[in-house]
Amino acid sequence: MIQIEKVSKWYGQFQVLADCSTQVSKGEVVVVCGPSGSGKSTLIKCVNGLEPFQAGSIIVDGISVGDPKTNLPRLRSKVGMVFQHFELFPHLSITENLCLAQVKVLGRSMDEAHQKGLQLLDRVGLKAQAAKFPGQLSGGQQQRVAIARALAMDPIAMLFDEPTSALDPEMINEVLDVMTELAQEGMTMMCVTHEMGFARRVASRVIFMDHGQIVEDAGKDEFFGAPHSERAQQFLSKILQH
Amino acid sequence: MTINLDWGIFLQESPTGDGPYWTMLATGLQWTLATALTGWAIALLVGSIVGVLRTVPYRPLALLGDAYVEVFRNIPLLVQLFFWFFVWPELLPAEIGRWMKQDMPYPEFITAALGLGWFTAARVAEQVKSGILSLPRGQKNAALALGFSLPQTYRLVILPQAFRVVIPPLTSEFMNIFKNSAAALAIGLTELTFQMKQMVEYSNEVIVSIAAATVLYMMLAFAVNRGMAWLEKKARVPGMIGGGR
Amino acid sequence: MIDWQLIADNREMLLDGMLYSLTLTGTAMAGGIVIGCLLALARLSSFKPLSLFAAGYVNLFRSVPLVLVIFWFYFLLPYFGLSIGPDKSVFITFTLFEAAYYSEIIRAGIQSISRGQVSAAYALGLTYPQTMRYILLPQAFRNMLPVLLTQTVVLFQDSSLVTIIGIKDFMGSTVVVASNNGAMTEMYTFAALAYFCVCFPVSMLLKRLHKRIAVIR
């Protein structure tokens, strides 16, 4: 579904991604972790072309992301993305947030979009909030709406960029529950997150990044059981202590 | 259509008796500078006082400051200049009014500098006020708690900090006063734009005259910009608001 | 101090003048915001020649006095054979001049919206024009509405400068009435009062609007 082949990226002289290669197959849930500044968020943003890269290739559903001829908006409409800071559109109501792209990008009718939006809102447990504005919702609620907004586009895969790291601790679980459910239904997912409990529960594979490189790319049990690299071991021991 | 540009025109004698055209523009530039700088001195002084007044915990004074700002901000500069030039002398006691109209030296310059000064003071006051209000409240309390009087608190603690905060917005006001000084041609001040207009009318070299004045104004803007950037750097306190930028 | 009889006798001319000032302000605001918006987008564009052009335009107009710009068009349009008369040409002058100022306000407004909003819009498959139209500009305009309107009050005051080239806007009409009747004291006091009565209430309203929007945000 997603093939990442020797991707490198520089900000001027500074290399943020170095020869990154991996793939996500249909139905797989891949968790990407690593210390801050390791390039994990940058990598996931390359997958739907939000960040350009200078070398290598990324193929999503048979389409090359880096190819200048690629219709990026069309490709992006097929890949859902959830952001650290939710990025709901504050000037639009929850319903409008859910419908805008369905109508403007997919060309659905307002009725159809509305119905679909409400159905997904119900699924994340927020049907009662449909008429509110993003600013009136808690962080956890906003992030669940953001997931519903991405799902409304009927994506073939979902990208999560640290979806819980801007949340207060008591709200993290309500978001992780929605993500777990989604994973169990067979959604193809790539998640940048530090939530190792979530990784243990649903991940097929775990990728560990450091200094722009993919240091470890292993099955879940292998990763948590006996990581090969020292850096991954250190990272795990630091994060699992708490 | 062919356009003939005579760049040598600057060396030709102007029929106004001001010498060659280049001295005509140079004189204009001098008056622009003199008016703007004098006006700026007035604006800084009056504006600081008014700005401080608006923050003091004594309502009548604060209201007086607010009133000043509202009056001077809501009447066009041109109208204010007309008022000071044509109306003001009539409202004063007859003796002074007559002196202003007949014996006051450089009446256009003095009126323009004062008028620009009062006008700009309102804008300076606005910046000074928001500069003072942007400081943490604890600063004032800390100074008062140390036993400083209110005037001491302002002079030693609040104003030195507030002025650093307001340097960037004041830069654009300083720039504006040079530009605004051109409005004084309406009361006959022979500043740069006035001289350019004369040069166009006497020499008929439309493009050359306009280009010269435009370049002079742009150089002025550039110089002001550099100067204020230098000042901002000088006044920077490490670690304080904006100090890191 | 104000000769109300004289004003009543000349009310038609003064009203026409005020109407002209307001029309000039309205036109320059509408045109200035449209062109200013395009300039702001050009300036933020990653296409270098476009952003350099916009930056040059804005910096040029912002470093020279409006009075000078009024004379540019006053002298240059007839010089290039376009004789539409000063009372029409200042509409062009003011629109182009104000566009530079509006564009800086709009640019700041756009930049105040976080980059994440753009990313989110792109991630949903919206195109650049759609992102601008549905996501960025509505939010930006909301934030900058008070500042845009404050600039318009400044523009209304600046419109009095057309008096210098003999146009009968409100101030120009006042000057005519004053000199025809030898009533400078009375008429200029009246002009100051009239401008104040228009601008002050609007400024007060804008201050309230500013506070309200700040609270919602």
Side-chain angles (χ1 to χ4, degrees), chain A residues 1 3 26 56 61 66 79 90 93 111-112 145 178 191 199-200 231 233:
Chain A
M1 178 83 51
Q3 278 114 21
K26 194 169 182 340
D61 196 28
V79 181
S93 71
D111 276 349
E112 195 186 351
V145 173
V178 173
C191 313
R200 270 183 206 278
R231 275 183 287 180
Q233 282 168 18

Side-chain angles (χ1 to χ4, degrees), chain A residues 73 76 87-91 104, chain C residues 116-117 122-123 125 130 134 139:
Chain A
R76 286 167 179 154
E87 305 299 353
L88 294 181
F89 304 130
H91 61 303
K104 299 295 173 193
Chain C
Q117 287 284 306
Y122 283 163
Q130 285 176 326
Y134 299 115
Q139 292 188 58

Side-chain angles (χ1 to χ4, degrees), chain A residues 141-196:
Chain A
Q141 291 175 322
Q142 288 193 51
Q143 194 61 301
R144 284 188 280 154
V145 173
I147 294 174
R149 180 175 73 178
L151 290 175
M153 305 293 285
D154 289 322
I156 55 170
M158 289 281 287
L159 308 172
F160 292 85
D161 182 12
E162 307 209 27
T164 55
S165 55
L167 292 176
D168 291 334
E170 71 268 22
M171 292 173 184
I172 289 178
N173 278 332
E174 60 186 77
V175 171
L176 288 181
D177 287 347
V178 173
M179 289 170 64
T180 305
E181 204 179 297
L182 207 55
Q184 281 160 354
E185 282 167 20
M187 174 61 80
T188 309
M189 290 163 62
M190 189 167 171
C191 313
V192 172
T193 182
H194 288 152
E195 296 298 332
M196 289 302 127

Side-chain angles (χ1 to χ4, degrees), chain B:
Chain B
M1 187 173 80
T2 54
I3 300 169
N4 291 314
L5 300 182
D6 179 9
W7 295 96
I9 186 78
F10 295 115
L11 299 176
Q12 278 176 36
E13 204 67 22
S14 70
T16 56
D18 290 328
Y21 281 113
W22 75 267
T23 50
M24 195 173 184
L25 290 183
T27 320
L29 185 61
Q30 278 171 12
W31 281 118
T32 293
L33 282 170
T35 310
L37 292 175
T38 315
W40 185 242
I42 297 168
L44 270 189
L45 185 73
V46 177
S48 305
I49 295 171
V50 174
V52 168
L53 279 189
R54 298 177 77 197
T55 66
V56 295
Y58 180 58
R59 241 183 114 60
L61 279 183
L63 279 177
L64 195 68
D66 287 345
Y68 179 95
V69 171
E70 293 307 335
V71 167
F72 282 87
R73 273 176 68 104
N74 285 303
I75 298 173
L77 174 61
L78 183 77
V79 181
Q80 293 187 26
L81 289 176
F82 272 51
F83 184 87
W84 297 125
F85 198 69
F86 296 114
V87 180
W88 188 235
E90 307 293 334
L91 303 181
L92 292 171
E95 266 317 279
I96 307 175
R98 196 173 312 123
W99 176 80
M100 284 179 75
K101 279 187 284 186
Q102 290 170 3
D103 300 324
M104 189 171 77
Y106 304 114
E108 299 87 4
F109 164 70
I110 291 182
T111 310
L114 282 170
L116 264 179
W118 304 131
F119 173 82
T120 310
R123 281 135 219 277
V124 171
E126 194 79 337
Q127 305 296 349
V128 169
K129 179 192 171 192
S130 56
I132 292 175
L133 293 183
S134 76
L135 299 177
R137 276 199 70 80
Q139 288 290 313
K140 187 172 161 192
N141 291 338
L144 292 173
L146 284 170
F148 288 128
S149 67
L150 191 64
Q152 279 178 319
T153 301
Y154 269 98
R155 192 162 51 83
L156 299 171
V157 178
I158 297 181
L159 286 181
Q161 295 187 50
F163 271 109
R164 289 184 166 83
V165 177
V166 297
I167 288 176
L170 283 188
T171 301
S172 78
E173 289 308 332
F174 190 36
M175 199 94 93
N176 285 341
I177 204 167
F178 285 95
K179 294 187 272 173
N180 286 334
S181 68
L185 67 81
I187 56 167
L189 182 73
T190 56
E191 48 70 62
L192 185 50
T193 307
F194 183 95
Q195 299 292 68
M196 177 206 79
K197 180 175 171 261
Q198 288 217 21
M199 184 170 166
V200 170
E201 281 163 355
Y202 287 114
S203 73
N204 253 326
E205 282 292 330
V206 180
I207 294 187
V208 174
S209 314
I210 285 181
T214 304
V215 167
L216 284 173
Y217 272 113
M218 291 184 78
M219 281 164 52
L220 209 52
F222 182 77
V224 168
N225 191 299
R226 289 296 89 201
M228 290 303 272
W230 174 82
L231 182 66
E232 196 184 336
K233 214 168 151 191
K234 281 292 264 195
R236 192 171 291 173
V237 178
M240 207 185 95
I241 327 155
R245 259 182 294 165

Side-chain angles (χ1 to χ4, degrees), chain C:
Chain C
M1 214 168 99
I2 293 176
D3 185 346
W4 295 107
Q5 190 53 51
L6 184 60
I7 290 156
D9 292 345
N10 292 282
R11 63 179 178 278
E12 220 157 285
M13 187 185 205
L14 293 169
L15 277 174
D16 280 350
M18 184 51 94
L19 198 64
Y20 181 92
S21 295
L22 290 171
T23 314
L24 177 58
T25 305
T27 312
M29 172 175 85
I33 289 180
V34 171
I35 299 176
C37 199
L38 295 175
L39 281 169
L41 291 177
R43 191 142 188 211
L44 294 171
S45 148
S46 53
F47 183 57
K48 262 268 145 27
L50 202 58
S51 70
L52 278 178
F53 166 78
Y57 180 99
V58 170
N59 286 333
L60 171 64
F61 277 98
R62 283 170 61 97
S63 48
V64 295
L66 174 55
V67 179
L68 180 71
V69 180
I70 292 174
F71 279 120
W72 283 358
F73 287 87
Y74 179 72
F75 286 125
L76 285 177
L77 288 182
Y79 183 83
F80 288 111
L82 190 64
S83 312
I84 51 174
D87 54 339
K88 296 209 177 53
S89 74
V90 289
F91 280 79
I92 303 175
T93 311
F94 272 72
T95 303
L96 294 180
F97 183 82
E98 292 298 327
Y101 284 81
Y102 282 123
S103 103
E104 284 296 272
I105 298 171
I106 296 170
R107 182 167 72 115
I110 291 176
Q111 285 176 324
S112 72
I113 309 298
S114 79
R115 274 211 58 78
Q117 287 284 306
V118 179
S119 293
Y122 283 163
L124 284 167
L126 294 175
T127 58
Y128 173 81
Q130 285 176 326
T131 304
M132 284 297 152
R133 180 161 160 216
Y134 299 115
I135 307 302
L136 252 184
L137 291 180
Q139 292 188 58
F141 266 104
R142 211 193 137 76
N143 289 352
M144 66 204 175
L145 189 65
V147 192
L148 281 179
L149 293 175
T150 305
Q151 177 63 29
T152 305
V153 175
V154 173
L155 159 61
F156 173 67
Q157 293 188 24
D158 282 348
S159 73
S160 65
L161 290 171
V162 300
T163 302
I164 289 170
I165 51 171
I167 291 175
K168 283 195 230 150
D169 71 318
F170 179 66
M171 189 58 196
S173 310
T174 313
V175 172
V176 172
V177 175
S179 50
N180 285 351
N181 300 279
M184 288 203 269
T185 315
E186 295 81 357
M187 286 314 290
Y188 294 157
T189 311
F190 168 69
L193 188 71
Y195 273 107
F196 184 79
C197 289
V198 175
C199 297
F200 178 65
V202 180
S203 303
M204 285 295 114
L205 278 176
L206 289 178
K207 239 178 220 173
R208 276 217 199 139
L209 181 69
H210 204 116
K211 274 188 195 141
R212 248 187 60 193
I213 287 188
V215 167
I216 291 173
R217 222 186 303 163

